[in-house]
Amino acid sequence: MKLSKCLGTNKAQAQRDWPAAYASLGAERTRRYDPMELIKIVTPDGDEMRRAMDIFPASELTYDPLANAEQPTADAWEQALEITRRRALRRQHKQLSSSWEAQIRMVRPYLPRGVSPEKMQPQHIRQMMLAMEGDGQSDSTISTRMATLSGVFTSLIKSGLHPDLLNPCSRVDYVSRVQRSHLTATEDHYRQMLSSDIKNDPLLLRIVFLGVRVGEAIHGRVEGDTFVIEPIDGWSPKNKSSIRTIPIPAFLRNSIVDCNADAFGNVFRKAREDEQLVPHSFRHGFVQLARQLHCNPLVIEAVLGHRLPTAMMEVYGSGYAVGTMREEMQKIWQRLDKMLVKT
């Protein structure tokens, strides 16, 4: 365990990497390791023992208990992914997004060896999550990737190929607390931030008045009286539904954003009074204001870039007109203006 922690990886990988790492430490090794510290190892015969690090035989240091394990059933997984793609095309009349394909590419290296999709168990999902965590992936990243994998199992069940399969992801708590509950901005939050040192920051104002995500506020562009969110070099919206054109208030039509998300996050944290408040809170607040003002919920969904509730609404027509969106958004803008007057 000590060896694994020092090398920042799992036990088997640590045993493989240790000789080279140990040699490279040189004079510093006495500071990092206690040469006589006893740690647990697994011998080629499967026995566990505790040995001093300096007297490891080379065969023990290089032994990988997983070396002879069967490789993942690649064909079975590829079939499962293809079923998922075909199901999405049949139900949504469009291909799965490039972001879905990217998430799957990142998940595949963590699939357990020799375990086909129908044999996956909750403990396998848990092992994958721990491995991702060990590689430094954030809770939200792990949650997104597990949700993507969960969709593959759902497709296997719904396709009839494995109707009796129990989705192993549904039996593991993989959603991070941050994803479960973003704080919704209240009127007090709006007043506090819109009277703070960053009250004139165009990035904050775009987030507040348009209900957009931080990345969209940074990379979207103003065209006349509209705000266009579409893929550009080095960045793309969250999904296809997020590609949209929405109205923008007159006072933001000349706004220019010249900072990145990290820089904005730093100034935002310094300006806020509530430590739970995050930029995304104002996206939730935008929805809350829309409910209070009885805005058309489907129009607001389109403004936010959410997928519309039925396939028919996405197949027929070309979405809501900018003028229709403006009518609903003006109700929210007027409420925000009243908040500023009271500040």
Side-chain angles (χ1 to χ4, degrees):
M1 183 61 70
K2 182 73 172 179
L3 179 60
S4 299
K5 288 183 178 179
C6 290
L7 295 179
T9 184
N10 60 55
K11 182 176 179 179
Q13 187 65 41
Q15 289 176 331
R16 289 195 296 270
D17 294 347
W18 183 81
Y22 184 73
S24 67
L25 287 174
E28 290 188 356
R29 74 184 180 92
T30 55
R31 179 173 62 84
R32 294 176 180 256
Y33 303 125
D34 178 359
M36 295 307 296
E37 182 177 357
L38 299 180
I39 64 172
K40 185 173 73 173
I41 63 170
V42 180
T43 69
D45 296 328
D47 298 323
E48 292 185 357
M49 63 176 63
R50 293 187 176 275
R51 298 286 294 275
M53 292 175 62
D54 275 358
I55 59 174
F56 276 177
S59 61
E60 291 178 355
L61 290 174
T62 58
Y63 173 66
D64 180 2
L66 299 178
N68 297 321
E70 183 182 355
Q71 293 298 311
T73 312
D75 291 344
W77 279 105
E78 191 53 50
Q79 181 187 30
L81 297 178
E82 187 57 31
I83 288 172
T84 305
R85 295 184 184 101
R86 291 202 303 267
R87 179 170 178 262
L89 183 61
R90 184 173 62 253
R91 296 179 69 245
Q92 303 171 17
H93 303 281
K94 59 184 179 182
Q95 301 286 348
L96 284 168
S97 66
S98 58
S99 62
W100 182 89
E101 297 288 354
Q103 291 296 337
I104 287 297
R105 284 197 299 272
M106 299 304 294
V107 166
R108 293 194 73 160
Y110 294 95
L111 294 173
R113 299 184 181 188
V115 182
S116 57
E118 69 275 11
K119 295 181 180 178
M120 288 285 286
Q121 298 295 322
Q123 57 265 35
H124 295 133
I125 302 300
R126 185 62 184 165
Q127 290 169 3
M128 292 175 65
M129 292 173 61
L130 291 174
M132 291 179 183
E133 186 179 283
D135 286 343
Q137 297 181 23
S138 67
D139 288 344
S140 60
T141 297
I142 295 172
S143 296
T144 299
R145 289 175 181 165
M146 289 297 101
T148 303
L149 183 61
S150 179
V152 175
F153 291 116
T154 298
S155 293
L156 288 176
I157 297 168
K158 296 290 187 180
S159 68
L161 185 62
H162 296 288
D164 298 326
L165 175 67
L166 294 177
N167 188 335
C169 293
S170 66
R171 293 180 283 166
V172 178
D173 188 12
Y174 62 81
V175 179
S176 70
R177 184 175 64 178
V178 173
Q179 282 195 321
R180 287 196 202 104
S181 56
H182 276 299
L183 177 70
T184 298
T186 64
E187 290 196 12
D188 288 340
H189 290 131
Y190 279 102
R191 292 193 183 99
Q192 187 264 308
M193 292 301 292
L194 293 175
S195 62
S196 68
D197 292 340
I198 62 171
K199 62 183 179 182
N200 295 320
D201 189 309
L203 183 49
L204 174 66
L205 295 175
R206 287 183 180 184
I207 292 170
V208 167
F209 281 84
L210 302 181
V212 293
R213 303 176 179 94
V214 174
E216 295 171 346
I218 293 173
H219 299 288
R221 70 178 188 277
V222 178
E223 284 191 1
D225 60 353
T226 63
F227 190 68
V228 180
I229 301 168
E230 62 183 8
I232 60 174
D233 290 341
W235 180 84
S236 62
K238 184 177 181 179
N239 50 49
K240 290 183 179 179
S241 299
S242 300
I243 300 173
R244 61 200 189 278
T245 298
I246 59 178
I248 190 169
F251 75 94
L252 281 177
R253 290 174 190 170
N254 295 320
S255 62
I256 298 175
V257 171
D258 59 357
C259 72
N260 58 37
D262 290 337
F264 177 71
N266 290 333
V267 298
F268 185 93
R269 285 187 288 273
K270 291 178 181 178
R272 70 186 179 186
E273 294 179 358
D274 186 342
E275 291 187 356
Q276 291 185 311
L277 188 70
V278 295
H280 202 78
S281 297
F282 289 104
R283 184 169 167 86
H284 287 245
F286 191 90
V287 175
Q288 183 68 12
L289 289 174
R291 290 196 189 103
Q292 293 173 357
L293 297 168
H294 305 291
C295 297
N296 185 318
L298 293 179
V299 176
I300 296 302
E301 290 290 306
V303 169
L304 295 171
H306 288 165
R307 181 176 295 169
L308 295 177
T310 67
M312 180 199 72
M313 299 185 72
E314 296 194 352
V315 173
Y316 294 95
S318 56
Y320 288 98
V322 171
T324 302
M325 293 182 180
R326 186 179 299 279
E327 290 177 5
E328 301 302 318
M329 294 179 74
Q330 280 180 336
K331 300 175 186 178
I332 299 173
W333 296 343
Q334 290 170 4
R335 173 63 66 86
L336 291 171
D337 287 340
K338 290 180 180 179
M339 291 183 195
L340 292 176
V341 170
K342 294 179 181 179
T343 301

